[in-house]
Amino acid sequence: MSKKIPVTVLSGFLGAGKTSLLNHLLTNQQGLKIAIIVNDMSEINVDAKLVKEGGFVRTEENMVEMTNGCICCTLREDLIVELEKLAKLDIDYVLIESSGVSEPIPVAQSFVYADEELGIDLNTSFQLDTMVTVVDGQQFWQDYRSEDLLMDRQLHVSEEDERGIVDLLMDQIEFANVIILNKTDQLSSDHAAELKHLLYRLNPEATIIPTKFGQVDPIEVLATKQFDFEKSSQSAGWIKELNEEHLPETEEYGISSFVYRSRKPFHPERFQQWLENWPPEILRAKGFFWLVTRNEVAGFLSQAGSMITLDAAGRWLASYSQAEQEALKDQDPALFEAWDPQVGDRMTELVFIGQSMDKKAIISSLDQCLLTEEEATAPVAAFVDELPPFLVE
């Protein structure tokens, strides 16, 4: 079997510096024959000097231009088809520059799972090597604090695209093997170090490299062999906290994380009030919660910046019949490891990542949202629940 062609995917929000990084890599190819896939090749600097030196030949076969969409959404099928064509060429490496609004996970899935509709399995010819995310050090906090949706900036890929800017930033950061913290020349050394600490907390598995103008040693992002889908799927800091892989606090910048756990349900009105008065020192939160008015379904909370999303995480196992529970236990006993005799698997587990957090005060305020002993005996109909409805598939 022939050797698989390694692939590096560059992600990052608009203006972060992906194209600068790509141009830098093309100028320092170290003898590799690199094919690139981009959403907009107007800014790719493949000049006569590079062609003369044999590092890259600009042809339709070797540079695939994708426009009017992003790789993760409308162009995923095109990506798979074009990669299959590239597999037949004499190339050493593939670089993919995703659009600024592209999520990295669907791109990665294209290399992990065969596309049955197209009848193409990229895994036979390609090896996804490194997922790189470029972060704009100068713009990060402005975008993080923004309440804008992609559609507010005319960046949405469809009328159904209701993603928030900050949610996209988190998706790109938390699934990366390498995070390029770009434009650090426009930050003070203290602010750059502070942001680097936060990025580490958001994704402890990633290699974080401060840069200016996207200039990085190619060995940091090419042929690193860092990508592993299962590992990358578990690399986010909030997941590690849930799995009790606690990271120590960075004392110099006060960046820390902790998990709030409870076996009592939230009172819907008090929990809603807490959400509406979100502690500003909490920068990132994610996890599951139990709401007394929704005993059948687990809630899922995701927060970044001013964006807070509540959704369904699936049915509590305790809501299944005894027979169904026994069948599930036979299939996967691990599902019942945290089973409580009174409430089953119902519980709240929320991870909080923040700066200068008053952990005791946050825990105390959340405890006050829990049902009291007197309220626990009241019927569900006695509670007013005006939180957004969960969407259950």
Side-chain angles (χ1 to χ4, degrees):
M1 182 177 178
S2 59
K3 186 177 179 181
K4 294 182 181 180
I5 303 168
V7 180
T8 288
V9 177
L10 306 180
S11 298
F13 194 55
L14 291 164
K18 296 188 303 299
T19 302
S20 295
L21 172 60
L22 183 58
N23 282 327
H24 173 71
L25 294 174
L26 292 176
T27 309
N28 299 273
Q29 294 183 47
Q30 301 179 338
L32 293 174
K33 288 179 287 186
I34 299 179
I36 66 173
I37 293 180
V38 296
N39 271 79
D40 182 0
M41 69 180 182
S42 61
E43 296 183 9
I44 304 300
N45 182 24
V46 186
D47 58 23
K49 183 173 180 290
L50 289 177
V51 174
K52 184 178 180 181
E53 293 174 352
F56 184 85
V57 178
R58 181 170 177 165
T59 67
E60 291 184 2
E61 290 78 25
N62 288 65
M63 177 179 283
V64 182
E65 180 183 9
M66 293 183 171
T67 57
N68 301 320
C70 72
I71 288 173
C72 73
C73 306
T74 59
L75 292 178
R76 183 171 176 269
E77 182 176 310
D78 288 353
L79 171 69
I80 294 172
V81 171
E82 295 299 340
L83 279 165
E84 186 186 36
K85 295 178 183 177
L86 289 177
K88 302 172 184 177
L89 303 179
D90 181 23
I91 54 176
D92 301 316
Y93 213 94
V94 174
L95 269 173
I96 299 175
E97 181 192 353
S98 298
S99 78
V101 297
S102 177
E103 297 171 19
I105 292 179
V107 179
Q109 289 174 329
S110 300
F111 293 91
V112 178
Y113 305 111
D115 190 299
E116 296 181 359
E117 289 186 11
L118 296 174
I120 299 174
D121 185 359
L122 294 180
N123 194 46
T124 60
S125 303
F126 297 94
Q127 179 69 50
L128 185 51
D129 183 88
T130 316
M131 297 294 295
V132 179
T133 291
V134 184
V135 173
D136 186 335
Q138 184 189 37
Q139 183 71 18
F140 176 83
W141 286 111
Q142 184 175 335
D143 286 331
Y144 172 84
R145 296 187 178 100
S146 172
E147 298 181 5
D148 288 353
L149 303 178
L150 290 174
M151 64 176 58
D152 294 328
R153 302 189 190 181
Q154 302 299 308
L155 299 174
H156 53 301
V157 298
S158 70
E159 294 304 317
E160 291 74 37
D161 187 356
E162 298 182 350
R163 291 175 295 163
I165 298 293
V166 66
D167 291 326
L168 177 60
L169 285 177
M170 293 300 107
D171 287 340
Q172 293 174 342
I173 289 169
E174 291 176 341
F175 195 72
N177 303 125
V178 178
I179 298 174
I180 304 298
L181 177 52
N182 199 26
K183 305 183 184 179
T184 53
D185 56 312
Q186 301 177 36
L187 301 174
S188 68
S189 58
D190 197 50
H191 285 162
E194 180 183 34
L195 183 49
K196 183 178 179 181
H197 278 288
L198 175 60
L199 294 173
Y200 168 71
R201 183 69 58 166
L202 293 173
N203 186 345
E205 293 290 335
T207 301
I208 303 172
I209 307 172
T211 64
K212 55 182 179 179
F213 306 113
Q215 295 182 0
V216 62
D217 190 330
I219 65 172
E220 300 281 3
V221 295
L222 301 178
T224 70
K225 299 181 180 179
Q226 289 193 57
F227 182 78
D228 176 274
F229 189 81
E230 294 303 321
K231 186 176 179 181
S232 295
S233 299
Q234 299 292 312
S235 64
W238 70 271
I239 295 177
K240 292 191 172 298
E241 283 286 350
L242 279 183
N243 293 334
E244 300 183 348
E245 299 177 43
H246 181 66
L247 299 173
E249 182 175 349
T250 55
E251 295 183 6
E252 186 175 0
Y253 300 101
I255 298 172
S256 62
S257 56
F258 71 93
V259 184
Y260 174 82
R261 290 186 170 92
S262 175
R263 284 288 190 173
K264 295 180 179 180
F266 282 130
H267 185 290
E269 290 179 288
R270 292 200 294 272
F271 187 49
Q272 182 174 356
Q273 291 173 2
W274 192 91
L275 294 172
E276 291 172 351
N277 294 276
W278 189 269
E281 64 270 26
I282 299 175
L283 303 175
R284 178 66 163 149
K286 212 158 185 179
F288 309 92
F289 64 94
W290 174 18
L291 203 63
V292 69
T293 45
R294 309 182 191 187
N295 277 316
E296 299 289 309
V297 180
F300 185 74
L301 180 148
S302 178
Q303 172 271 341
S306 61
M307 304 295 291
I308 301 175
T309 304
L310 304 181
D311 212 337
R315 285 179 60 188
W316 295 114
L317 296 178
S319 70
Y320 286 82
S321 68
Q322 187 67 37
E324 290 172 323
Q325 290 177 20
E326 292 299 329
L328 289 169
K329 187 179 293 185
D330 290 338
Q331 295 174 16
D332 190 354
L335 293 173
F336 294 80
E337 287 179 355
W339 193 262
D340 181 90
Q342 276 73 47
V343 300
D345 60 326
R346 295 186 179 100
M347 67 184 304
T348 291
E349 288 186 303
L350 293 173
V351 178
F352 297 106
I353 300 172
Q355 189 168 26
S356 302
M357 291 188 297
D358 188 335
K359 179 179 175 181
K360 289 184 179 179
I362 293 171
I363 291 175
S364 176
S365 64
L366 283 168
D367 283 345
Q368 293 173 31
C369 299
L370 301 174
L371 255 61
T372 64
E373 290 185 10
E374 293 78 13
E375 290 170 334
T377 61
V380 172
F383 302 98
V384 177
D385 181 353
E386 296 183 348
L387 286 165
F390 294 157
L391 299 176
V392 185
E393 294 183 359

